[in-house]
Amino acid sequence: MSLGVERPKAGKSRKSYLLWEEDYIVPILALEIVSLTPGGEYDKKLDIYAKLGVLYYIIYNLEYWQCVSEAAPSELRHQPFEVYRLVDGSYQLQIGEPFWMPEISLGIGRSQYISGNIQRQVLYWYDQQRNRYQTSEE
């Protein structure tokens, strides 16, 4: 999420976000959704976003959060939803859900979504009173 940057780029949706094409406006929030093949979300990407100055780094790892890295079997297990805030150049894991981010006046957290007879957990935005914003379908 980048504030002060047009959503469409040249009238088209974005496939990527390149700082040098956006007047070096650093996103305030990065959200990683972990797939079957983890891609350094808990180490490499965490370091990259910290160096860039991204204030919030959120990792949503619904399916594979209990997996322990083969490279580091003693590594601590993670939670399915983790919010990190940049403090003095490094990320600190935050607690509470939904998690309120005063800089953007939004909270983020998980809730259940039902489509037909399929129920799944998804991420939603929340207001300061911890009320979930409704979807367009709702």
Side-chain angles (χ1 to χ4, degrees):
M1 172 187 286
S2 297
L3 303 177
V5 175
E6 289 184 44
R7 186 170 183 211
K9 182 78 170 175
K12 299 178 182 179
S13 61
R14 298 172 184 276
K15 293 183 181 180
S16 61
Y17 188 92
L18 305 171
L19 285 177
W20 55 91
E21 289 183 2
E22 307 302 341
D23 295 326
Y24 292 91
I25 296 174
V26 175
I28 196 163
L29 181 150
L31 170 65
E32 291 284 349
I33 299 175
V34 180
S35 64
L36 177 60
T37 308
E41 291 84 3
Y42 298 100
D43 45 48
K44 289 183 262 180
K45 289 183 180 180
L46 194 97
D47 291 340
I48 290 169
Y49 290 130
K51 287 177 185 171
L52 288 173
V54 176
L55 183 59
Y56 291 103
Y57 179 59
I58 300 170
I59 303 173
Y60 186 51
N61 189 355
L62 182 62
E63 299 291 330
Y64 309 103
W65 61 277
Q66 291 185 344
C67 296
V68 176
S69 168
E70 289 180 24
S74 62
E75 181 179 311
L76 295 175
R77 294 176 188 250
H78 292 278
Q79 294 301 308
F81 175 75
E82 295 181 347
V83 177
Y84 294 88
R85 186 176 195 284
L86 193 62
V87 178
D88 296 327
S90 62
Y91 282 118
Q92 293 183 0
L93 182 62
Q94 304 297 295
I95 57 170
E97 189 179 348
F99 181 77
W100 180 249
M101 299 171 284
E103 298 84 358
I104 57 174
S105 297
L106 279 174
I108 190 168
R110 300 170 292 166
S111 189
Q112 296 301 311
Y113 173 78
I114 299 172
S115 176
N117 54 356
I118 298 173
Q119 182 175 341
R120 64 181 65 172
Q121 183 185 96
V122 296
L123 295 177
Y124 285 101
W125 296 114
Y126 291 80
D127 66 18
Q128 192 169 9
Q129 288 73 42
R130 303 174 65 88
N131 298 310
R132 181 176 65 80
Y133 285 107
Q134 293 186 330
T135 66
S136 59
E137 293 84 19
E138 294 172 316

